[in-house]
């Protein structure tokens, strides 16, 4: 963990994970990028649209018996709604994401190494949605995607726009960054999301988890609940 | 402190907490009436409780999607009501009325929200209640197969059709509108049901569990109508559905006896043709006969065959219009003795039913072929008599019997349902009735 002074407002800014390259100052919403020893502000993030999410930065939980802490968040919008991607730091240093959408929670970790062939093919099929190229109208979910040893089915293909972020993130997430996001599910609740912004491809794999199984702590108070 | 990844120590200053989450209220852009958003950030559409306008709440612009829907409709459970169902507290945030394609069958779906546990649907059809959860699981073959395994249960196909949304009230996490139509396939494993909804963008599989109406009424502290037996309630484990079956059995039986009574069931022609080898490649004709009204036609063929065969290529011809209805029949009858003893194959008679033909004067034309024709005339100078009887307007039993079998399957399934219901009731704590 490293502490810096926010270059914009001077408030203390903590990088909990060594891999975090970016953070948003909790006080002035400045987007801060970390160079080797110093930090500099790269702009101010607007306050995120409010929601009834019980999660907040600093909320803790468990996954596969190991504790984690929520350290960052992306607010994503698409044509028909919004969702949260919470960035988490596991006790062993791994970093992952909790997707909070339509009242369901998924946890996933970025796939390392070369991407499976099916991911490449999926993007060849879905990328016209992002670029507006030929074939954009024909993109439909329902096809299967082989990821390692599991077979998943693409159930949801969205054009997503980043509406803002808070906390620490492993990459810069400028407001307005557009991606094509493909959600896939497996027979046993496996989950994967494939994400392409036109340049960088990322695949995250994990599973759906019930609220109670996360054993969350330090939750945000919700009026009336 | 180094730059290595580290778990946050407990004395670590927590980031400033988020402001508490709370419902949001705004003025309806159509009538200015107050609109409350309960699932802030998740809801995409909401309706005004005052003018029933459908409002887009996906962003800050709050644009009107549809001003004032037709007449305002109420629901048995009001929006905002809370209840504990399956050990979780739920708040009703919306409801929609839906119907099948033709609009014969209607039901209501309430949307329940809990900020921790997400969403459930509470479906009500003719007084029967089901609590439904989206599965977040791939169910291979869903919507295409007759049976599927999902969430540890074996589901049987129940029905397929369309669900049209005819009215929406409250807030929804999708762009709900009264023009929504989805293809729905239903599977059942009473008291559970599985619904597969498909449109161009999504495939959603949800699982529902039957809840007793009295439990729903008690949980929401509202008065609910008693379950009716009208309509389909796939996972309804109650007896009332049997009344419908009993009525259907009586109705079908009465219909059958009525049809027996009014059927002409008349023999209109009966002739015996003595086939000889000379009849090979000839066409025989029956005498003409009259069918007084439209009705089906039964052709009964009889010939005494001894290790021989007979093929009749027949055509029922309306001699007024030349309209022809062809039918091909084959008879064979063999017997003998082998190491297993005596054996016999085939028979001497055959019956075939033709679909209804219009009234008129008819003839039966017959192109026969027989084992007899291929034998050398010197060996067999014998004749082969064939009797063909024609009946018309014959009562049919098969439809009635199939209907009975189908109708009686339902009480059988119902019994199984009931057994499963009882089993699950005992599993949940053995509360005696």
């Amino acid at each position: 963990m490293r502490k810096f002074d926010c270059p914009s407002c001077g408030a203390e800014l903590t990088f909990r994970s060594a891999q975090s390259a970016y953070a948003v100052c909790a006080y002035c919403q400045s987007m801060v990028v970390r160079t080797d020893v110093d930090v500099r502000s790269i702009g101010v993030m607007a306050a995120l649209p409010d929601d009834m999410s019980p999660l907040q930065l600093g909320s803790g939980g468990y996954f596969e018996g190991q504790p984690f802490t929520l350290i960052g968040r992306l607010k994503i919008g698409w044509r028909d709604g919004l969702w949260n991607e919470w960035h988490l730091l596991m006790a062993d240093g791994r970093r992952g994401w909790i997707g909070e959408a339509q009242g369901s929670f998924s946890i996933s970790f970025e796939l390392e190494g070369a991407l499976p062939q099916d991911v490449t093919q999926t993007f060849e099929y879905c990328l016209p949605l992002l670029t507006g190229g030929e074939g954009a109208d024909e993109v439909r979910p329902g096809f299967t995607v082989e990821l390692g040893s599991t077979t998943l089915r693409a159930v949801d293909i969205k054009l997503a726009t980043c509406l803002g972020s808070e906390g620490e993130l492993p990459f810069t997430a400028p407001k307005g960054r557009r991606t094509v996001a493909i959600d896939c599910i497996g027979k046993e609740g496996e989950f994967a999301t494939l994400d392409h912004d036109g340049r960088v491809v990322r695949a995250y794999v994990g599973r759906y988890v019930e609220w109670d199984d996360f054993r969350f702590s330090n939750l945000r108070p919700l009026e009336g609940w | 402190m180094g730059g290595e990844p580290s778990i946050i120590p407990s004395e670590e200053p927590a980031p400033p907490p988020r402001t508490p989450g709370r419902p949001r209220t705004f003025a309806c852009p159509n009538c200015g009436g107050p609109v409350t958003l309960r699932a802030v950030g998740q809801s995409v559409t909401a309706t005004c409780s005052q003018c029933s306008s459908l409002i887009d709440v996906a962003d800050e612009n709050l644009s009107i999607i549809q001003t004032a829907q037709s007449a305002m409709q109420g629901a048995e459970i009001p929006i905002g009501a809370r209840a504990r169902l399956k050990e979780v507290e739920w708040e009703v945030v919306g409801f929609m009325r839906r119907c099948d394609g033709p609009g014969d069958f209607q039901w209501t779906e309430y949307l329940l929200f809990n900020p921790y546990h997400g969403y459930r649907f509470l479906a009500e059809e003719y007084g029967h209640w089901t609590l439904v959860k989206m599965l977040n699981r791939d169910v291979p073959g869903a919507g295409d197969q007759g049976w599927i395994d999902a969430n540890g249960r074996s589901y049987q196909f129940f029905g397929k059709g369309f669900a049209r949304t005819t009215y929406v009230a409250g807030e929804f996490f999708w762009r709900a509108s009264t023009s929504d139509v989805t293809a729905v396939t239903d599977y059942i494993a009473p008291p559970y049901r599985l619904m597969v909804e498909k449109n161009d963008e999504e495939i959603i599989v949800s699982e529902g569990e039957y809840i007793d109406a009295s439990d729903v009424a008690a949980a929401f502290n509202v008065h609910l109508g008693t379950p009716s037996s009208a309509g389909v309630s796939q996972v309804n484990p109650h007896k009332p559905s049997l009344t419908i079956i009993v009525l259907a059995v009586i109705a079908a039986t009465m219909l059958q006896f009525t049809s027996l009574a009014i059927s002409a069931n008349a023999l209109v022609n009966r002739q015996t043709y003595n086939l000889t080898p000379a009849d090979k490649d000839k066409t025989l004709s029956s005498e003409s006969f009259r069918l007084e009204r439209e009705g089906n036609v039964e052709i009964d063929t009889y010939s005494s065959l001894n290790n021989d065969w007979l093929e009749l290529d027949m055509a029922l011809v309306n001699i007024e219009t030349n309209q022809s209805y062809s039918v091909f029949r084959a008879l064979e009858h063999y017997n003998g003795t082998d190491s297993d003893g005596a054996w016999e194959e085939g028979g001497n008679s055959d019956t075939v039913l033709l679909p209804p033909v219009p009234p008129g004067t008819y003839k039966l034309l017959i192109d026969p072929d027989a084992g007899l024709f291929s034998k050398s005339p010197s060996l067999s100078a014998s004749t082969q008599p064939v009797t063909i009887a024609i009946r018309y307007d014959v009562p049919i039993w098969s439809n009635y019997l199939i209907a009975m079998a189908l109708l009686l399957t339902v009480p059988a399934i119902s019994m199984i349902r009931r057994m499963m219901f009882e089993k699950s009731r005992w599993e949940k704590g053995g509360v005696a009735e």
Side-chain angles (χ1 to χ4, degrees):
Chain A
M1 186 176 65
R2 284 196 174 171
K3 290 192 170 78
F4 299 90
D5 290 336
C6 170
S8 180
C9 73
E12 191 176 85
L13 186 63
T14 309
F15 279 85
R16 270 164 251 214
S17 162
Q19 285 113 50
S20 290
Y22 301 88
V24 177
C25 172
Y27 296 92
C28 71
Q29 272 77 46
S30 282
M31 181 87 176
V32 176
V33 61
R34 183 172 71 174
T35 55
D36 272 2
V37 289
D38 208 352
V39 290
R40 63 189 170 87
S41 170
I42 56 166
V44 177
M45 297 298 290
L48 300 180
D50 199 11
D51 57 34
M52 274 296 266
S53 170
L55 302 180
Q56 60 183 352
L57 297 187
S59 289
Y62 289 84
F63 178 63
E64 290 176 345
Q66 201 184 116
F68 64 77
T69 307
L70 302 185
I71 61 171
R73 172 165 69 126
L74 295 174
K75 189 82 181 180
I76 314 285
W78 68 294
R79 194 193 64 208
D80 283 351
L82 308 174
W83 79 89
N84 286 319
E85 292 285 354
W86 295 94
H87 192 44
L88 62 87
L89 176 63
M90 304 279 292
D92 65 4
R94 279 196 301 157
R95 307 168 52 130
W97 296 89
I98 287 180
E100 182 192 16
Q102 303 188 341
S104 296
F105 297 91
S106 60
I107 187 165
S108 61
F109 298 87
E110 187 169 355
L111 207 60
E112 285 166 11
L115 289 174
Q117 195 192 352
D118 274 21
V119 174
T120 320
Q121 284 178 354
T122 300
F123 281 119
E124 273 171 29
Y125 175 65
C126 295
L127 211 56
L129 272 183
L130 189 69
T131 58
E134 209 172 307
D137 295 342
E138 276 108 63
V139 178
R140 298 274 184 278
F143 53 89
T144 56
V145 181
E146 298 282 344
L147 280 180
S149 58
T150 48
T151 302
L152 304 166
R153 188 180 306 276
V155 287
D156 193 0
I157 302 169
K158 288 184 171 94
L159 257 186
T161 306
C162 178
L163 301 181
S165 60
E166 63 173 338
E168 294 173 41
L169 298 167
F171 48 77
T172 178
K175 193 173 173 177
R177 173 178 177 257
R178 273 157 46 94
T179 59
V180 57
I182 303 145
D183 281 352
C184 309
I185 57 174
K187 274 192 283 192
E188 308 298 330
E190 300 94 337
F191 168 85
T193 185
L194 315 175
D195 183 294
H196 198 319
D197 67 0
R199 294 180 305 116
V200 186
V201 180
R202 292 192 172 92
Y204 302 87
V205 293
R207 61 181 305 101
Y208 275 103
V209 178
E210 293 292 315
W211 169 263
D212 287 336
D213 297 337
F214 272 129
R215 290 150 57 203
F216 278 117
S217 57
N218 188 22
L219 291 169
R220 173 197 189 200
L222 297 175
E223 237 174 53
W225 290 94
Chain B
M1 261 190 167
E4 285 74 39
S6 58
I7 185 83
I8 306 117
S10 54
E11 65 270 22
E12 151 83 12
R18 295 180 70 187
T19 51
R22 59 170 64 93
R24 179 180 158 208
T25 52
F26 62 89
C28 166
N30 184 49
C31 73
V35 183
T36 303
L37 266 193
R38 294 173 167 85
V40 182
Q42 310 242 41
S43 289
V44 173
T45 58
T47 58
C48 171
S49 59
Q50 213 162 279
C51 71
S52 82
S53 289
L54 191 58
I55 307 155
D56 185 332
V57 295
D59 55 37
E60 300 298 311
N61 299 328
L62 302 176
S63 54
I64 293 274
I65 299 170
Q66 186 187 350
T67 44
Q69 303 177 67
S70 50
M72 283 265 264
Q73 296 178 21
E76 286 183 298
I77 306 175
I79 289 171
R82 288 200 186 187
R84 248 184 124 67
L85 294 172
K86 308 279 173 196
E87 276 141 48
V88 172
E89 184 169 10
W90 298 103
E91 181 167 319
V92 176
V93 296
F95 74 88
M96 50 185 173
R97 296 228 190 279
R98 305 183 84 184
C99 67
D100 62 356
D104 300 332
F105 180 58
Q106 290 162 38
W107 68 96
T108 304
E109 286 179 25
Y110 294 89
L111 182 61
L112 309 182
F113 173 70
N114 171 299
Y116 309 99
H117 292 89
Y119 290 99
R120 295 290 183 276
F121 291 89
L122 185 62
E124 180 269 325
E125 26 190 90
Y126 301 92
H128 297 289
W129 297 80
T130 318
L131 187 64
V132 179
K133 184 188 182 194
M134 292 195 289
L135 265 191
N136 289 333
R137 287 207 175 5
D138 181 32
V139 181
D144 306 320
Q145 282 176 198
W147 60 270
I148 44 178
D149 282 325
N151 213 22
R153 284 179 259 281
S154 284
Y155 279 96
Q156 294 291 317
F157 172 81
F158 187 83
K160 197 167 188 167
F162 289 90
R164 281 196 295 135
T165 304
T166 56
Y167 184 81
V168 292
E171 55 189 281
F172 299 92
F173 60 85
W174 69 95
R175 215 167 273 283
S177 93
T178 51
S179 55
D180 284 349
V181 179
T182 42
V184 186
T185 311
D186 260 311
Y187 293 85
I188 57 167
Y192 298 98
R193 63 189 282 194
L194 194 79
M195 285 140 285
V196 183
E197 299 190 49
K198 270 188 196 178
N199 60 30
D200 282 350
E201 280 164 355
E202 284 180 306
I203 303 158
I204 299 170
V205 181
S206 341
E207 188 172 58
E209 185 178 359
Y210 191 86
I211 306 189
D212 212 85
S214 59
D215 292 346
V216 177
F220 281 102
N221 196 20
V222 290
H223 176 77
L224 298 176
T226 44
S228 113
S229 55
V232 195
S233 174
Q234 293 92 325
V235 287
N236 165 25
H238 285 284
K239 261 187 171 167
S241 62
L242 291 182
T243 2
I244 279 270
I245 303 302
V246 171
L247 289 176
V249 167
I250 293 171
T253 307
M254 282 173 67
L255 211 63
Q256 179 66 9
F257 278 98
T258 314
S259 108
L260 284 183
I262 63 171
S263 289
N265 196 16
L267 177 69
V268 287
N269 177 271
R270 183 194 172 96
Q271 277 179 257
T272 300
Y273 308 86
N274 290 309
L275 298 185
T276 66
D279 291 320
K280 190 179 181 190
D281 298 328
K282 279 191 184 162
T283 298
L284 311 175
S285 173
S286 74
E287 282 159 21
S288 60
F289 51 89
R290 180 127 192 105
L291 304 184
E292 295 299 339
R293 61 173 191 233
E294 179 168 311
N296 57 16
V297 174
E298 186 182 284
I299 301 173
D300 301 324
T301 317
Y302 175 85
S303 183
S304 177
L305 295 163
N306 181 19
N307 287 323
D308 211 343
W309 59 271
L310 180 66
E311 286 178 359
L312 302 172
D313 200 353
M314 297 179 281
L316 181 68
V317 180
N318 184 324
I319 56 176
E320 291 152 10
T321 63
N322 280 331
Q323 180 75 40
S324 146
Y325 308 87
S326 35
V327 57
F328 176 85
R329 307 304 296 170
L331 277 178
E332 56 176 8
H333 188 213
Y334 293 95
N335 56 52
T337 317
D338 63 13
S339 54
D340 294 330
W343 57 266
E344 188 176 3
E345 263 182 34
N348 289 326
S349 63
D350 173 76
T351 295
V352 62
L353 194 66
L354 301 185
V357 296
T361 307
Y362 287 83
K363 268 187 177 178
L364 187 72
L365 302 183
I366 308 144
D367 284 333
D369 195 3
L372 173 77
F373 298 169
S374 54
K375 289 166 191 160
S376 120
S378 61
L379 280 176
S380 165
S382 61
T383 60
Q384 176 73 54
V386 181
T387 304
I388 299 177
I390 300 162
R391 294 172 176 278
Y392 100 108
D393 202 10
V394 179
I396 306 170
W397 281 94
S398 60
N399 289 352
Y400 173 73
L401 293 177
I402 290 168
M404 280 302 114
L406 288 177
L407 285 170
L408 294 175
T409 323
V410 180
I413 291 171
S414 180
M415 242 173 81
I416 295 163
R417 281 183 197 166
R418 196 169 171 79
M419 280 158 63
M420 288 185 69
F421 179 75
E422 294 302 335
K423 185 165 160 263
S424 94
R425 194 210 307 280
W426 282 101
E427 277 168 356
K428 285 191 189 78
V431 182
E433 264 184 319

